[in-house]
Amino acid sequence: MILLMGLVAFNFITDPFGVFNSPFFSWDSYEMTAAPKTAKITYLENCDTEYDSFIIGSIETGNYPVSELNEYFNASFYNMAAYDGNIEDSLWLVGFL
């Protein structure tokens, strides 16, 4: 039981996936590579920028140039592409956004 509590405390303090918004560490680059979907959702929940359009899909959608889409559609896009995404994830994300 003590070992389990120690593991929980360690994960809370180090917060390797950026879920708890740990006041001790902020590893944005690691969070983005270790769990990109979680990092992007956490970013959107905490960011000041207003986005009115989103690119949702697997890693292939990451190739769309956000700046060109912003200009072409007169919008503010955010790229939600994730390398481990599937259709179920995309549908959930549409509902979340």
Side-chain angles (χ1 to χ4, degrees):
M1 185 60 128
I2 293 173
L3 182 61
L4 179 62
M5 294 302 290
L7 182 62
V8 169
F10 175 78
N11 280 312
F12 178 77
I13 291 170
T14 59
D15 194 17
F17 298 108
V19 176
F20 305 115
N21 293 321
S22 173
F24 304 106
F25 299 105
S26 180
W27 301 358
D28 294 333
S29 61
Y30 178 73
E31 293 164 9
M32 189 60 102
T33 59
K37 285 184 289 193
T38 303
K40 289 180 178 187
I41 290 169
T42 303
Y43 168 75
L44 286 175
E45 290 177 335
N46 298 319
C47 76
D48 295 333
T49 306
E50 292 292 324
Y51 296 100
D52 57 18
S53 304
F54 299 90
I55 302 170
I56 298 172
S58 62
I59 193 63
E60 288 83 12
T61 59
N63 294 323
Y64 292 111
V66 172
S67 59
E68 289 181 25
L69 290 170
N70 288 342
E71 185 178 330
Y72 185 74
F73 290 104
N74 192 25
S76 179
F77 277 86
Y78 184 76
N79 195 332
M80 292 294 297
Y83 57 77
D84 59 346
N86 59 38
I87 193 69
E88 290 178 7
D89 292 338
S90 296
L91 290 173
W92 178 87
L93 194 53
V94 168
F96 172 79
L97 295 171

